[in-house]
Amino acid sequence: DAKTTQPPSMDCAEGRAANLPCNHSTISGNEYVYWYRQIHSQGPQYIIHGLKNNETNEMASLIITEDRKSSTLILPHATLRDTAVYYCIVSLSGSRLTFGEGTQLTVNP
Amino acid sequence: DGGITQSPKYLFRKEGQNVTLSCEQNLNHDAMYWYRQDPGQGLRLIYYSQIVNDFQKGDIAEGYSVSREKKESFPLTVTSAQKNPTAFYLCASSIAEVGTYEQYFGPGTRLTVT
């Protein structure tokens, strides 16, 4: 599976959009981009995944560049409960996931 | 409520003892997974199971064993051969091992071995 690179930490003001970047320059054509998040001392929670097209669900939007070498997870209106570690994962399937160290997002009041 | 149950939340053991961590799901999922997480790090896959009576090693299976006798249950045994057993252990399940299905995680068990 392709390796991903994420900033170790980011801050965001409550109510503003949080944009979390992820680089995956070695991604292959059939690998998906997955995003999970983990609130402190809890199990991770699935957010969204995509292959080529941008995706949106009730939690977030996923923007994948045309060359697929990077992506951005967007939380449109961040709340304090969105404070968590966000993991960007590239995988052929939803099963063999490799979780890196992720990005610690802190939403400030 | 449908979900994944892991018990206990905290577990303490003496070095040299085997310990079994429980994982139960009522989501009717075929696939189940065990991960280990060390402080400040991501999750690493220990074992996974696609179907009852079948399981495969993940990236760090040494010192661990599993069984899958029922669809709902996937217990993990941390044996005395595991050199650094103290960690946060997470169980997950998904509809199937193949495909792009999301994984659902339990609340985790924090194991401390002294």
Side-chain angles (χ1 to χ4, degrees):
Chain A
D1 290 341
K3 182 177 170 59
T4 61
T5 304
Q6 299 178 253
S9 64
M10 293 183 64
D11 285 287
C12 177
E14 189 177 19
R16 305 296 294 268
N19 296 280
L20 291 91
C22 180
N23 287 321
H24 31 79
S25 58
T26 60
I27 191 171
S28 64
N30 52 355
E31 287 182 310
Y32 290 78
V33 179
Y34 287 84
W35 284 84
Y36 281 76
R37 72 180 182 184
Q38 185 177 24
I39 295 170
H40 184 62
S41 294
Q42 296 183 22
Q45 176 189 25
Y46 166 84
I47 302 173
I48 199 167
H49 76 278
L51 182 63
K52 295 180 182 177
N53 300 322
N54 298 338
E55 302 287 345
T56 296
N57 63 20
E58 65 278 4
M59 289 184 68
S61 294
L62 173 60
I63 308 298
I64 303 174
T65 59
E66 193 168 343
D67 64 7
R68 303 209 324 122
K69 292 183 185 300
S70 65
S71 60
T72 302
L73 179 76
I74 301 171
L75 307 178
H77 304 287
T79 71
L80 299 178
R81 287 176 297 196
D82 291 322
T83 291
V85 177
Y86 286 78
Y87 298 100
C88 170
I89 303 162
V90 172
S91 179
L92 290 168
S93 74
S95 60
R96 296 301 303 270
L97 301 179
T98 300
F99 288 76
E101 295 180 5
T103 296
Q104 171 66 60
L105 174 69
T106 302
V107 180
N108 300 305
Chain B
D1 283 338
I4 300 180
T5 303
Q6 291 187 246
S7 60
K9 190 172 178 64
Y10 297 95
L11 192 53
F12 298 88
R13 282 293 184 271
K14 293 290 188 186
E15 194 173 325
Q17 294 178 335
N18 290 355
V19 58
T20 298
L21 281 59
S22 166
C23 177
E24 304 278 332
Q25 55 100 357
N26 61 4
L27 299 168
N28 200 33
H29 286 173
D30 281 325
M32 296 187 74
Y33 313 82
W34 273 106
Y35 293 88
R36 169 190 173 128
Q37 186 174 35
D38 293 290
Q41 297 186 24
L43 284 66
R44 292 183 288 171
L45 183 65
I46 304 173
Y47 267 98
Y48 64 100
S49 169
Q50 301 178 55
I51 199 167
V52 174
N53 293 323
D54 184 57
F55 48 83
Q56 286 78 41
K57 293 181 179 180
D59 301 319
I60 55 163
E62 186 175 349
Y64 299 98
S65 66
V66 293
S67 63
R68 187 86 187 275
E69 297 177 1
K70 298 186 299 182
K71 187 175 184 177
E72 312 81 57
S73 179
F74 191 42
L76 173 75
T77 297
V78 184
T79 74
S80 57
Q82 168 51 233
K83 291 182 172 53
N84 297 297
T86 295
F88 188 42
Y89 290 88
L90 288 152
C91 178
S93 72
S94 65
I95 292 175
E97 197 267 340
V98 294
T100 61
Y101 300 107
E102 66 194 81
Q103 292 188 28
Y104 293 79
F105 284 81
T109 291
R110 198 166 295 277
L111 173 65
T112 302
V113 176
T114 58

